Amino acid sequence: MGLGPSIIDVFLQYWPIFLKGAIGTLKFSFIAVGFGSILGCLVSFLSLAKMKLLQTIARIYVTVLRGTPLLVQMYIAYFFLPIAFPVMNNLSKETYVLIALIMNSSAYVSEIIRGGINSVDAGQTEAARSLGMSARNTMIRIVLPQAIKNILPALANEYIAMIKETSMAGTFMLYELMYTRVLLANKFLIWQPLFIIAGIYLIMTTVLTYGVRQLERRLAVSD
Amino acid sequence: MTDKDKPLIEVVDLHKSFGSLEVLKGINEKIYKGEVVSIIGASGGGKSTFLRCLNMLEVPTSGKVIFEGEELNAKDTDLDKHRQKIGMVFQLFNIFPHLNVLDNITITPILEKKIKKEDAEKEAMDLLKMVGLEDKAQEYPRKLSGGQKQRLAIVRALAMHPDVMLFDEPTSALDPEMVKEVLDVIRDLAERDMTCVIVTHEMGFAKSISDRILFIDEGIIMEEGTPEQIFDHPQNARTKEFLSKVLM
């Protein structure tokens, strides 16, 4: 039977499929990190709250989501949510997987934000509060703008990591890069798509990593 | 009772512990309007903690801090409102690095006192002129020297029109050649009848500027009196010992 057509031949013939897959990957990662950031923000505020109960809730949330495999979380979201919450019955399968991705991402993002806020010198808060600035304004106008320097690059790195994580969404037949393997396997193309997929992941993460490095450099200049 | 008899700040049996470490062990003190009070003593004796209790940056474990007749550590006190009347200057300046010099001064008056931006900036420029920083208004703090940062920190606090200024070792982090420019600003304030409470290791400065000296050691006020009493005729053995070790 031999090796069959070359990688280049497969790519030239089926590139629209890979392109669509790559776009799906970027889309899922972006949604996961985007909504994950909003949710992660809330979780990080809980973890920084004065009330011990809120801190504990946040800590459990983060521990569970970071301490269990994303694939397991996806399965639970996919099979358990529709049974447990009948209102969620009509949601698309894409939504279930995205819920898992968003929650998983939010756990990592909340730790990034918490770390960023804690990295701002306590003297900044003391100075603002001693002037009579409210706790809210101190957070929004003094602490967060300084925390963002540390948060933005870490957030971008989380996006890069998420690009690789979304490959698991293919397990649920969602159209992203890894899913293209299934489409082409139907045409008896087994090994070539794998190398093409790996190559595309590598290009995406390398380009974005380079971008993050530039971002870090520019943020450092203003110090 | 006239205003002059009423203390601006009254501290009643103030205790503060950090975990099992009791730093303040019962302090009673009254500070009157227009007074300049310097606090001296060895490191770890509780000077800074005492000062930080005056605006509730440290919440007392027990006791009262009464400012302009209101108990600051009561539950329903609007602390932000009172803090606007209590300026504080820190050892490490704590300038906001992401804001330029002018915005460092104007941000709080604009946000919390709803002062119009033009008015706040006009006043900020006047304050900057007072401390010789008017040409730095648009600069970012990273371009300022330590002495310039501390002068900025002082006028940032003044922009809130405080009734008292607290100084927490304002020159301890400065290069020697910058100490004078900061002390001159504080002296200028004191001469304009601003009430000042100053934690300092600059004994000569404390002696020349203060109406009263508090020697705080082991969490209590060991001795207090006029600069002459404390520096020239100390009564307490601990005060004598401390003063014998420091350069005047």
Side-chain angles (χ1 to χ4, degrees), chain A residues 183-201:
Chain A
L183 296 176
L184 294 179
N186 293 337
K187 302 181 194 303
F188 304 105
L189 295 166
I190 305 301
W191 63 273
Q192 302 90 336
L194 294 176
F195 285 96
I196 294 169
I197 289 166
I200 296 175
Y201 275 122

Side-chain angles (χ1 to χ4, degrees), chain A residues 71-82:
Chain A
L71 192 58
V72 177
Q73 293 164 18
M74 283 179 170
Y75 270 102
I76 291 175
Y78 194 81
F79 290 111
F80 177 69
L81 284 184

Side-chain angles (χ1 to χ4, degrees), chain B residues 178-189:
Chain B
M178 292 172 182
V179 170
K180 189 174 176 299
E181 66 190 50
V182 171
L183 293 185
D184 283 346
V185 173
I186 300 174
R187 189 185 299 278
D188 188 44
L189 280 178

Side-chain angles (χ1 to χ4, degrees), chain A residues 170-214:
Chain A
T171 312
F172 300 90
M173 307 294 160
L174 297 195
Y175 208 132
E176 47 71 65
L177 201 44
M178 197 58 196
Y179 178 65
T180 59
R181 184 199 75 84
V182 180
L183 296 176
L184 294 179
N186 293 337
K187 302 181 194 303
F188 304 105
L189 295 166
I190 305 301
W191 63 273
Q192 302 90 336
L194 294 176
F195 285 96
I196 294 169
I197 289 166
I200 296 175
Y201 275 122
L202 187 62
I203 289 167
M204 289 196 294
T205 53
T206 308
V207 168
L208 285 165
T209 304
Y210 176 78
V212 172
R213 215 167 287 156
Q214 296 301 314

